[in-house]
Amino acid sequence: MLKSWKLKEIVLLSILSVVFAVVYLAFVHAGNLWAGLIGPIAYEWIFGIWFIVSIIAAYIIRRPGAAFLSEVLAATIEMMIGNAIGPRIILVGIIQGLGAESAFAVTGYKRYDLWVLMLAGFGAAVTSFAYTYVMGGLNALSPTYVATMFALRATSGMLIAGLGGKILSDLLLRTGALDGYALARQDRMHG
């Protein structure tokens, strides 16, 4: 998969994964505080933050596997720096990464507009929620509560990861730091 990648693309994917591993772990703690006040639904409002690296990496690099690899690498680093669930977080990263990657795969890795980025956030929300439903015992909760949890996670995935990922990437593009990456080339063609 990485044979056609340039070294700078691999380096950027790695840097993004390290940065967001730290962000992910910080949001675990923020989510725990919030959940102490309102219960397990608290995480759903912010869940999109845990998908954002996949959208940013795919949007900037525009190569098959960027969403998946960045999410798995971020999860692996998050485990190494102290996520309480240990190696299981890597499985979570795989599941979330597959959900996000699927949106780009469906377009043949040719479209990276806002709607596709939001679809990637939605895809990560769907796959991660399915995992949470099975592993987290959500079937013990009322169907209405579970449906509300899913709606919040899906919305968070689309807005925080999809829209937020695009905004952060576009802001980074303006600095010139992304010159030479696919996003910058596309911006020059359409700018």
Side-chain angles (χ1 to χ4, degrees):
M1 178 187 304
L2 294 176
K3 284 184 179 182
S4 64
W5 287 47
K6 296 176 182 163
L7 178 60
K8 69 180 179 180
E9 293 168 334
I10 296 169
V11 170
L12 178 62
L13 183 130
S14 301
I15 291 168
L16 289 170
S17 297
V18 169
V19 167
F20 282 97
V22 173
V23 169
Y24 289 1
L25 189 57
F27 271 86
V28 167
H29 299 301
N32 288 341
L33 291 172
W34 185 226
L37 297 173
I38 68 169
I41 203 165
Y43 298 100
E44 307 307 327
W45 297 85
I46 61 171
F47 227 97
I49 196 68
W50 290 299
F51 314 143
I52 199 167
V53 75
S54 59
I55 280 77
I56 291 173
Y59 182 54
I60 294 171
I61 298 170
R62 302 189 178 196
R63 294 226 185 236
F68 175 76
L69 290 172
S70 62
E71 198 67 48
V72 174
L73 185 55
T76 303
I77 295 164
E78 184 184 355
M79 178 201 66
M80 291 189 296
I81 61 174
N83 187 295
I85 68 170
R88 193 173 58 158
I89 195 67
I90 298 170
L91 177 59
V92 171
I94 290 169
I95 290 166
Q96 292 173 177
L98 287 172
E101 188 75 34
S102 66
F104 302 108
V106 164
T107 69
Y109 298 97
K110 303 230 185 293
R111 292 192 51 201
Y112 294 87
D113 55 30
L114 177 60
W115 294 109
V116 175
L117 301 178
M118 291 176 74
L119 180 62
F122 179 78
V126 169
T127 56
S128 72
F129 196 83
Y131 174 79
T132 302
Y133 186 86
V134 172
M135 298 302 291
L138 297 186
N139 61 329
L141 302 173
S142 80
T144 303
Y145 192 76
V146 172
T148 302
M149 290 175 77
F150 174 74
L152 288 171
R153 187 176 303 193
T155 302
S156 179
M158 291 185 295
L159 295 179
I160 294 176
L163 177 61
K166 182 180 186 332
I167 290 169
L168 286 174
S169 300
D170 289 345
L171 289 171
L172 189 57
L173 176 66
R174 288 187 199 166
T175 68
L178 300 179
D179 289 350
Y181 291 95
L183 174 60
R185 288 190 298 275
Q186 182 266 335
D187 186 61
R188 279 193 300 276
M189 287 179 14
H190 293 76

